[in-house]
Amino acid sequence: MDDHLLIAKAISSMVRNMAHFEVLYEAENGSVLINKFKTRDSVPDIVLLDISMPIMDGFQTAQWLQEKYPTVKILVLSMQDDEDSVIKMIKYGVKGYLHKNTPPAELEKALTNVTEQGIYFPNWATSIVLQTISNNKHKKLITSDEKLSHRELEFLHYACTELTYKEIADQMCCSPRTVEGYRDALFDKLNIKTRTGLAMFAVKAGIVKL
């Protein structure tokens, strides 16, 4: 049996032991997954996706899912934890990123958070994203988005750095409470619950260019 299918079955067995989740099927690569999507009536809420797969890898699969099934949440489970891989997958709309050595308890936590909050990135992945954004010199604010005010966009720009909320308030020449107001307004408008989620939105929407 192919190693990738063996790994998929092992992960499936792990998920089946979790109380609130069920497995619809396994796929050893992206091409097989596409065929299953096309030939079955049921589409999963979450896809656990590896990057290193034969025939059609995780990058290609995530891009296809983003285009064809944007409501399906992708949780990456991969040995590739480098900056380029994490950022590229975020651009393809993934909702979480885990190392393949993640223990079952964290995998269950990630699945629960993706289901309930829409996102799960452990500290190491969040640090990669924020550092990449902070180090990039070609940040761009979008001021034509009518849903967000200029000050909300300015806050979103700072939220994608590693500044604390108090430091953001100093940069924006306002009080910490006002900054919290911008944050809460964005949480409400964008249906996002975490600062990491705001950073993911900013990257995907092109508010911050990587």
Side-chain angles (χ1 to χ4, degrees):
M1 186 180 294
D2 185 85
D3 286 347
H4 291 87
L5 186 54
L6 279 172
I7 293 172
K9 288 187 175 298
I11 295 171
S12 292
S13 177
M14 191 186 306
V15 174
R16 285 190 175 98
N17 289 327
M18 299 175 185
H20 304 293
F21 300 98
E22 62 176 316
V23 177
L24 296 183
Y25 42 78
E26 304 102 13
E28 60 266 39
N29 60 60
S31 180
V32 173
L33 179 68
I34 288 175
N35 288 333
K36 289 183 181 293
F37 267 63
K38 291 179 177 178
T39 58
R40 294 172 182 257
D41 294 331
S42 56
V43 172
D45 296 317
I46 300 175
V47 170
L48 279 174
L49 184 63
D50 194 0
I51 293 178
S52 300
M53 299 184 295
I55 302 175
M56 185 174 182
D57 66 21
F59 297 122
Q60 296 168 306
T61 305
Q63 187 174 21
W64 183 85
L65 286 169
Q66 184 186 46
E67 293 173 355
K68 303 296 184 181
Y69 293 88
T71 60
V72 173
K73 300 178 177 69
I74 302 171
L75 177 59
V76 176
L77 193 61
S78 176
M79 294 297 289
Q80 294 181 220
D81 56 3
D82 59 283
E83 178 182 321
D84 288 344
S85 295
V86 174
I87 297 301
K88 189 172 182 179
M89 288 304 257
I90 287 171
K91 288 180 177 180
Y92 289 147
V94 306
K95 302 303 183 183
Y97 204 112
L98 294 175
H99 196 274
K100 196 174 279 187
N101 292 335
T102 296
E106 185 174 7
L107 175 58
E108 184 170 12
K109 179 182 178 182
L111 287 168
T112 300
N113 280 29
V114 168
T115 300
E116 296 179 354
Q117 300 180 18
I119 192 170
Y120 182 81
F121 287 83
N123 289 338
W124 66 265
T126 300
S127 294
I128 284 176
V129 175
L130 294 181
Q131 287 172 13
T132 302
I133 293 172
S134 296
N135 293 336
N136 194 284
K137 297 180 180 179
H138 302 289
K139 299 182 179 73
K140 178 183 177 182
L141 286 177
I142 294 178
T143 56
S144 60
D145 190 333
E146 295 180 353
K147 292 197 303 181
L148 305 183
S149 70
H150 175 76
R151 290 291 274 177
E152 287 170 346
L153 284 166
E154 185 180 2
F155 166 76
L156 186 56
H157 170 88
Y158 285 120
C160 293
T161 70
E162 296 184 272
L163 294 175
T164 66
Y165 286 125
K166 183 180 184 305
E167 290 169 337
I168 292 174
D170 291 340
Q171 291 291 323
M172 295 182 68
C173 300
C174 63
S175 69
R177 178 169 289 187
T178 300
V179 162
E180 290 173 2
Y182 294 139
R183 178 200 63 195
D184 293 343
L186 287 172
F187 282 169
D188 184 58
K189 287 182 178 182
L190 303 175
N191 193 26
I192 290 172
K193 300 180 180 180
T194 67
R195 182 170 175 175
T196 303
L198 290 178
M200 303 303 122
F201 168 82
V203 172
K204 189 175 179 183
I207 293 171
V208 171
K209 296 292 186 181
L210 298 180

